[in-house]
């Protein structure tokens, strides 16, 4: 048996931090320049679905043709929460009593959709303007947790993992 040296202890993120970081990563796929939002739907420490604000499948993106503004809001895109719920539905995921990790407080319509889908907890780290989400969550017994933004750095120390090595780039 061979003992390998251990790398310095790296603090593991909590489950909430982990899922919020995944939501942040999902937000990088957003196609509306007015806001990048990500959502992860999780249950029993498993990811059920992810979403980001983006155009309908096959439709042009705001980043390509500009935003479609109606009453001060871009309506070209679905919000991250709606896209996550739609992805869960397409894959048959059970959202009853799941948690939604969202980079921003949901808008009123997304809050209502999360409630109707059976979400029982919502975790956010930033706010959204003019929303009744908090009121609807309270009325529907959905727990709302506001956490600090998790660290924005992915810690992957390839040089110090003895079983890994850098791959060859194909681009």
């Amino acid at each position: 048996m061979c003992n390998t040296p251990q790398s310095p202890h790296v603090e593991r993120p909590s489950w909430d931090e982990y899922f919020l970081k995944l939501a942040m990563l999902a937000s990088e796929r957003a196609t509306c320049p007015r806001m990048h939002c990500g959502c992860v739907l999780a249950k029993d420490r498993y990811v059920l679905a992810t979403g980001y604000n983006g155009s309908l499948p096959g439709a042009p993106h705001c980043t390509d043709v500009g935003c479609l503004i109606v009453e001060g809001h871009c309506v070209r895109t679905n919000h991250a929460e709606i896209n996550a719920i739609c992805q869960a539905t397409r894959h048959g995921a059970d959202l009853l009593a799941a948690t939604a990790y969202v980079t921003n407080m949901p808008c009123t319509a997304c809050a209502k959709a999360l409630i109707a889908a059976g979400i029982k907890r919502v975790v956010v780290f930033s706010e959204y303007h003019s929303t009744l989400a908090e009121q609807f969550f309270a009325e529907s017994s959905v727990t709302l947790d506001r956490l600090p933004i998790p660290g924005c750095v992915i810690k992957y120390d390839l040089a110090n993992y003895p079983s890994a090595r850098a791959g060859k780039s194909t681009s």
Side-chain angles (χ1 to χ4, degrees), residues 45-108:
R45 298 183 179 168
Y46 288 93
V47 173
L48 302 175
T50 64
Y52 53 86
N53 55 323
S55 297
L56 298 171
H61 298 293
C62 296
T63 51
D64 297 331
V65 298
C67 295
L68 180 58
I69 305 297
V70 175
E71 296 179 8
H73 296 278
C74 179
V75 297
R76 185 178 304 286
T77 62
N78 271 341
H79 288 187
E81 301 91 328
I82 298 301
N83 280 328
I85 291 169
C86 290
Q87 184 185 79
T89 300
R90 283 193 304 269
H91 293 285
D94 178 11
L95 298 180
L96 192 61
T99 298
Y101 293 88
V102 193
T103 54
N104 310 88
M105 176 69 80
C107 71
T108 302

Coordinates of all heavy atoms in Angstrom, one line a residue, residues 45-108:
R45 N -30.3 16.5 -2.5 CA -28.9 16.8 -2.9 C -28.6 16.3 -4.3 O -27.5 16.1 -4.7 CB -28.0 16.1 -1.9 CG -28.1 16.7 -0.5 CD -27.1 16.1 0.4 NE -27.2 16.7 1.7 CZ -26.6 16.2 2.8 NH1 -25.8 15.2 2.7 NH2 -26.8 16.8 4.0
Y46 N -29.6 16.2 -5.2 CA -29.4 15.9 -6.6 C -30.0 17.0 -7.4 O -31.0 17.6 -7.2 CB -30.2 14.6 -7.0 CG -29.5 13.4 -6.4 CD1 -29.9 12.9 -5.2 CD2 -28.5 12.8 -7.1 CE1 -29.3 11.7 -4.7 CE2 -27.9 11.6 -6.6 CZ -28.3 11.1 -5.4 OH -27.7 10.0 -4.8
V47 N -29.3 17.3 -8.5 CA -29.8 18.3 -9.5 C -30.9 17.7 -10.3 O -30.7 16.6 -10.9 CB -28.6 18.8 -10.4 CG1 -29.2 19.7 -11.5 CG2 -27.6 19.6 -9.6
L48 N -32.0 18.3 -10.4 CA -33.1 17.8 -11.2 C -33.2 18.5 -12.6 O -33.5 17.9 -13.6 CB -34.5 18.1 -10.5 CG -34.6 17.4 -9.1 CD1 -35.9 17.8 -8.5 CD2 -34.6 15.9 -9.2
A49 N -32.8 19.8 -12.6 CA -32.9 20.6 -13.8 C -32.1 21.9 -13.6 O -32.0 22.4 -12.4 CB -34.3 20.8 -14.2
T50 N -31.7 22.5 -14.7 CA -31.1 23.8 -14.6 C -31.8 24.7 -15.7 O -32.4 24.2 -16.6 CB -29.6 23.8 -14.9 OG1 -29.4 23.3 -16.3 CG2 -28.9 22.9 -14.0
G51 N -31.6 26.0 -15.5 CA -32.2 26.9 -16.5 C -31.5 28.3 -16.4 O -30.8 28.6 -15.4
Y52 N -31.5 29.0 -17.5 CA -31.0 30.4 -17.6 C -31.9 31.2 -18.4 O -32.7 30.6 -19.2 CB -29.6 30.4 -18.1 CG -29.4 29.7 -19.5 CD1 -29.7 30.3 -20.7 CD2 -29.1 28.3 -19.5 CE1 -29.5 29.7 -21.9 CE2 -29.0 27.7 -20.7 CZ -29.2 28.4 -21.9 OH -29.1 27.7 -23.1
N53 N -31.9 32.5 -18.3 CA -32.8 33.3 -19.2 C -32.2 33.3 -20.6 O -31.1 33.7 -20.9 CB -33.0 34.7 -18.6 CG -31.7 35.5 -18.4 OD1 -30.7 34.9 -17.9 ND2 -31.8 36.8 -18.6
G54 N -33.1 32.8 -21.5 CA -32.7 32.7 -22.9 C -34.0 32.6 -23.7 O -35.1 32.3 -23.3
S55 N -33.7 32.7 -25.0 CA -34.8 32.7 -26.0 C -35.4 31.3 -26.1 O -34.8 30.3 -25.7 CB -34.3 33.1 -27.4 OG -33.8 34.4 -27.3
L56 N -36.6 31.2 -26.7 CA -37.2 29.9 -27.0 C -36.4 29.1 -27.9 O -35.7 29.7 -28.8 CB -38.6 30.2 -27.6 CG -39.6 30.9 -26.7 CD1 -40.9 31.3 -27.4 CD2 -39.9 30.1 -25.4
P57 N -36.5 27.8 -27.8 CA -35.7 26.9 -28.7 C -35.9 27.3 -30.2 O -37.1 27.4 -30.6 CB -36.2 25.5 -28.4 CG -36.7 25.6 -27.0 CD -37.3 27.0 -26.9
G58 N -34.9 27.5 -30.9 CA -35.0 27.9 -32.3 C -35.2 29.3 -32.6 O -35.1 29.7 -33.8
A59 N -35.5 30.1 -31.6 CA -35.8 31.5 -31.8 C -34.5 32.3 -31.7 O -33.5 31.9 -31.1 CB -36.8 32.0 -30.8
P60 N -34.5 33.5 -32.3 CA -33.3 34.4 -32.2 C -33.0 34.8 -30.8 O -33.9 35.0 -30.0 CB -33.6 35.6 -33.1 CG -35.0 35.6 -33.3 CD -35.5 34.2 -33.1
H61 N -31.7 35.0 -30.5 CA -31.3 35.5 -29.2 C -31.2 37.0 -29.1 O -30.8 37.6 -30.1 CB -29.9 34.9 -28.8 CG -29.9 33.4 -28.7 ND1 -30.6 32.7 -27.8 CD2 -29.4 32.5 -29.5 CE1 -30.4 31.4 -28.0 NE2 -29.7 31.2 -29.0
C62 N -31.4 37.6 -28.0 CA -31.2 39.0 -27.8 C -29.8 39.4 -28.2 O -29.6 40.5 -28.7 CB -31.5 39.4 -26.3 SG -33.1 39.1 -25.7
T63 N -28.8 38.6 -27.8 CA -27.4 38.9 -28.1 C -27.2 39.0 -29.6 O -26.2 39.6 -30.1 CB -26.5 37.9 -27.5 OG1 -26.9 36.6 -27.9 CG2 -26.4 38.0 -26.0
D64 N -28.1 38.4 -30.4 CA -27.9 38.4 -31.9 C -28.8 39.4 -32.6 O -28.3 40.1 -33.5 CB -28.3 37.0 -32.5 CG -27.3 35.9 -32.0 OD1 -26.2 36.2 -31.7 OD2 -27.8 34.8 -31.9
V65 N -30.0 39.6 -32.1 CA -30.9 40.5 -32.8 C -31.5 41.7 -31.9 O -32.3 42.4 -32.4 CB -32.1 39.7 -33.4 CG1 -31.6 38.7 -34.4 CG2 -32.9 39.0 -32.3
G66 N -31.0 41.7 -30.7 CA -31.5 42.7 -29.8 C -32.7 42.3 -28.9 O -33.3 41.3 -29.2
C67 N -32.9 43.0 -27.9 CA -34.0 42.7 -27.0 C -35.4 43.1 -27.6 O -35.4 44.0 -28.4 CB -33.8 43.4 -25.6 SG -32.4 42.8 -24.7
L68 N -36.4 42.4 -27.2 CA -37.8 42.8 -27.6 C -38.5 43.3 -26.3 O -38.9 42.6 -25.4 CB -38.5 41.5 -28.1 CG -39.9 41.7 -28.5 CD1 -40.0 42.7 -29.7 CD2 -40.5 40.4 -29.0
I69 N -38.5 44.7 -26.2 CA -39.0 45.3 -25.0 C -40.4 45.7 -25.1 O -40.9 46.3 -26.0 CB -38.2 46.6 -24.7 CG1 -36.7 46.3 -24.7 CG2 -38.6 47.3 -23.4 CD1 -36.2 45.4 -23.6
V70 N -41.2 45.2 -24.0 CA -42.6 45.5 -23.9 C -42.8 46.0 -22.4 O -42.4 45.3 -21.5 CB -43.5 44.3 -24.2 CG1 -45.0 44.7 -23.9 CG2 -43.4 43.8 -25.6
E71 N -43.3 47.2 -22.3 CA -43.5 47.8 -20.9 C -42.2 47.7 -20.0 O -42.3 47.3 -18.9 CB -44.7 47.2 -20.3 CG -46.0 47.5 -21.0 CD -47.2 46.8 -20.4 OE1 -47.1 46.3 -19.3 OE2 -48.3 46.9 -21.0
G72 N -41.1 48.0 -20.6 CA -39.8 48.0 -19.9 C -39.2 46.6 -19.6 O -38.2 46.6 -18.9
H73 N -39.8 45.6 -20.1 CA -39.2 44.2 -19.9 C -38.9 43.6 -21.3 O -39.7 43.7 -22.2 CB -40.2 43.3 -19.2 CG -40.5 43.8 -17.8 ND1 -39.6 43.6 -16.7 CD2 -41.5 44.6 -17.3 CE1 -40.1 44.1 -15.6 NE2 -41.3 44.8 -16.0
C74 N -37.8 42.8 -21.3 CA -37.5 42.0 -22.5 C -38.4 40.8 -22.5 O -38.4 40.0 -21.5 CB -36.0 41.6 -22.5 SG -35.7 40.6 -24.0
V75 N -39.2 40.6 -23.5 CA -40.1 39.4 -23.6 C -39.6 38.4 -24.6 O -40.3 37.4 -24.9 CB -41.5 39.9 -23.9 CG1 -42.1 40.8 -22.8 CG2 -41.6 40.6 -25.3
R76 N -38.4 38.6 -25.2 CA -37.9 37.6 -26.1 C -37.5 36.3 -25.4 O -37.5 35.2 -25.9 CB -36.7 38.2 -26.8 CG -36.1 37.3 -27.9 CD -35.0 37.9 -28.7 NE -35.3 39.2 -29.3 CZ -36.0 39.4 -30.4 NH1 -36.6 38.3 -31.0 NH2 -36.2 40.6 -30.9
T77 N -37.1 36.4 -24.1 CA -36.6 35.3 -23.4 C -37.6 34.8 -22.3 O -38.4 35.5 -21.8 CB -35.3 35.7 -22.6 OG1 -35.6 36.7 -21.7 CG2 -34.2 36.2 -23.6
N78 N -37.4 33.5 -22.0 CA -38.0 32.9 -20.8 C -37.0 33.1 -19.7 O -35.8 33.1 -19.9 CB -38.2 31.4 -21.0 CG -39.5 31.0 -21.6 OD1 -40.4 31.8 -21.6 ND2 -39.6 29.8 -22.1
H79 N -37.5 33.3 -18.5 CA -36.6 33.5 -17.3 C -36.0 32.1 -16.9 O -36.6 31.0 -17.3 CB -37.4 34.1 -16.2 CG -37.7 35.5 -16.4 ND1 -38.3 36.3 -15.4 CD2 -37.6 36.3 -17.4 CE1 -38.4 37.5 -15.8 NE2 -38.0 37.6 -17.1
A80 N -35.0 32.2 -16.2 CA -34.2 31.0 -15.8 C -35.1 29.9 -15.1 O -35.1 28.7 -15.3 CB -33.1 31.3 -14.9
E81 N -36.0 30.4 -14.2 CA -36.9 29.5 -13.4 C -37.8 28.8 -14.4 O -38.1 27.6 -14.2 CB -37.7 30.3 -12.4 CG -36.8 31.1 -11.4 CD -36.5 32.5 -11.8 OE1 -36.4 32.8 -13.0 OE2 -36.3 33.3 -10.9
I82 N -38.4 29.5 -15.3 CA -39.3 28.8 -16.3 C -38.6 27.8 -17.1 O -39.1 26.7 -17.3 CB -40.0 29.9 -17.2 CG1 -40.8 30.9 -16.3 CG2 -40.8 29.2 -18.3 CD1 -41.9 30.3 -15.5
N83 N -37.4 28.2 -17.6 CA -36.6 27.2 -18.4 C -36.3 26.0 -17.5 O -36.3 24.8 -18.1 CB -35.4 27.9 -19.0 CG -35.8 28.7 -20.2 OD1 -36.7 28.3 -20.9 ND2 -35.1 29.7 -20.5
A84 N -36.0 26.1 -16.3 CA -35.6 25.0 -15.4 C -36.9 24.1 -15.2 O -36.8 22.9 -15.2 CB -35.1 25.5 -14.1
I85 N -38.0 24.7 -14.9 CA -39.2 24.0 -14.8 C -39.6 23.2 -16.0 O -39.9 22.0 -16.0 CB -40.4 24.9 -14.4 CG1 -40.2 25.4 -12.9 CG2 -41.8 24.2 -14.5 CD1 -41.2 26.5 -12.5
C86 N -39.4 23.9 -17.2 CA -39.7 23.2 -18.5 C -38.7 22.0 -18.7 O -39.1 21.0 -19.2 CB -39.6 24.2 -19.6 SG -40.9 25.4 -19.7
Q87 N -37.4 22.2 -18.4 CA -36.5 21.1 -18.5 C -36.9 19.9 -17.6 O -36.8 18.8 -18.0 CB -35.1 21.6 -18.2 CG -34.0 20.5 -18.4 CD -32.6 21.0 -18.0 OE1 -32.4 20.9 -16.8 NE2 -31.8 21.4 -18.9
A88 N -37.2 20.2 -16.4 CA -37.7 19.2 -15.4 C -38.9 18.4 -16.0 O -38.9 17.2 -15.9 CB -38.0 19.8 -14.1
T89 N -39.8 19.2 -16.5 CA -41.0 18.5 -17.1 C -40.7 17.6 -18.3 O -41.2 16.5 -18.4 CB -42.0 19.6 -17.6 OG1 -42.3 20.4 -16.4 CG2 -43.3 19.0 -18.1
R90 N -39.8 18.1 -19.2 CA -39.4 17.3 -20.3 C -38.7 16.0 -19.9 O -38.8 15.0 -20.6 CB -38.5 18.1 -21.2 CG -39.2 19.1 -22.1 CD -38.3 19.7 -23.2 NE -37.0 20.2 -22.7 CZ -36.8 21.5 -22.4 NH1 -37.8 22.4 -22.5 NH2 -35.7 21.9 -22.0
H91 N -38.1 16.0 -18.8 CA -37.3 14.8 -18.3 C -38.1 14.0 -17.2 O -37.6 13.1 -16.7 CB -36.0 15.2 -17.8 CG -35.1 15.7 -18.9 ND1 -34.5 14.9 -19.9 CD2 -34.7 17.0 -19.3 CE1 -33.8 15.6 -20.7 NE2 -33.9 16.9 -20.4
G92 N -39.3 14.5 -16.9 CA -40.1 13.7 -16.0 C -39.7 13.8 -14.5 O -40.0 13.0 -13.7
A93 N -39.0 14.9 -14.2 CA -38.5 15.1 -12.8 C -39.7 15.5 -11.9 O -40.5 16.3 -12.3 CB -37.4 16.1 -12.8
D94 N -39.7 15.0 -10.7 CA -40.7 15.3 -9.7 C -40.2 16.5 -8.9 O -39.2 16.4 -8.2 CB -40.9 14.1 -8.8 CG -41.9 14.4 -7.7 OD1 -42.6 15.5 -7.7 OD2 -42.0 13.5 -6.8
L95 N -40.8 17.6 -9.0 CA -40.4 18.9 -8.3 C -41.1 19.0 -7.0 O -40.7 20.0 -6.3 CB -40.7 20.1 -9.2 CG -39.9 20.1 -10.5 CD1 -40.3 21.4 -11.3 CD2 -38.4 20.0 -10.3
L96 N -42.0 18.2 -6.6 CA -42.7 18.3 -5.3 C -41.7 18.3 -4.2 O -40.9 17.4 -4.0 CB -43.7 17.2 -5.1 CG -44.7 17.3 -4.0 CD1 -45.5 18.6 -4.2 CD2 -45.6 16.1 -3.9
A97 N -41.7 19.4 -3.4 CA -40.8 19.6 -2.2 C -39.3 19.9 -2.6 O -38.5 19.7 -1.8 CB -40.9 18.5 -1.2
A98 N -39.1 20.2 -3.9 CA -37.7 20.5 -4.3 C -37.3 21.9 -3.9 O -38.2 22.7 -3.4 CB -37.6 20.4 -5.8
T99 N -36.0 22.2 -4.0 CA -35.5 23.6 -3.7 C -35.1 24.2 -5.0 O -34.5 23.6 -5.9 CB -34.3 23.5 -2.8 OG1 -34.8 22.9 -1.5 CG2 -33.7 24.9 -2.5
A100 N -35.4 25.5 -5.2 CA -34.9 26.3 -6.3 C -33.8 27.2 -5.9 O -33.9 28.0 -4.9 CB -36.0 27.1 -6.9
Y101 N -32.6 27.0 -6.5 CA -31.5 27.9 -6.2 C -31.4 28.9 -7.4 O -31.2 28.5 -8.5 CB -30.2 27.1 -6.1 CG -30.1 26.2 -4.9 CD1 -30.7 24.9 -5.0 CD2 -29.6 26.6 -3.7 CE1 -30.7 24.1 -3.9 CE2 -29.6 25.8 -2.6 CZ -30.1 24.6 -2.7 OH -30.1 23.7 -1.6
V102 N -31.6 30.2 -7.1 CA -31.7 31.2 -8.2 C -30.7 32.3 -7.9 O -30.6 32.8 -6.7 CB -33.1 31.7 -8.3 CG1 -33.3 32.5 -9.6 CG2 -34.2 30.6 -8.2
T103 N -30.0 32.8 -8.9 CA -29.1 33.9 -8.7 C -29.8 35.1 -8.2 O -29.1 36.0 -7.5 CB -28.2 34.1 -9.9 OG1 -29.1 34.4 -11.0 CG2 -27.3 32.9 -10.2
N104 N -31.0 35.4 -8.6 CA -31.7 36.6 -8.3 C -33.1 36.2 -7.8 O -33.7 35.2 -8.2 CB -31.9 37.4 -9.6 CG -30.6 37.6 -10.3 OD1 -30.3 36.8 -11.2 ND2 -29.9 38.7 -10.0
M105 N -33.6 37.1 -6.9 CA -35.0 36.9 -6.5 C -35.9 36.7 -7.7 O -35.9 37.5 -8.6 CB -35.5 38.1 -5.6 CG -36.9 38.0 -5.2 SD -37.2 36.8 -4.0 CE -36.6 37.6 -2.5
P106 N -36.8 35.7 -7.7 CA -37.7 35.5 -8.9 C -38.6 36.7 -9.0 O -39.0 37.3 -8.1 CB -38.4 34.2 -8.5 CG -37.5 33.5 -7.6 CD -36.9 34.6 -6.7
C107 N -39.0 36.9 -10.3 CA -40.1 37.9 -10.6 C -41.4 37.3 -10.1 O -41.5 36.1 -9.7 CB -40.1 38.2 -12.1 SG -40.7 36.9 -13.1
T108 N -42.4 38.1 -10.1 CA -43.7 37.6 -9.6 C -44.2 36.4 -10.4 O -44.6 35.4 -9.8 CB -44.8 38.8 -9.7 OG1 -44.3 39.9 -8.9 CG2 -46.1 38.3 -9.2

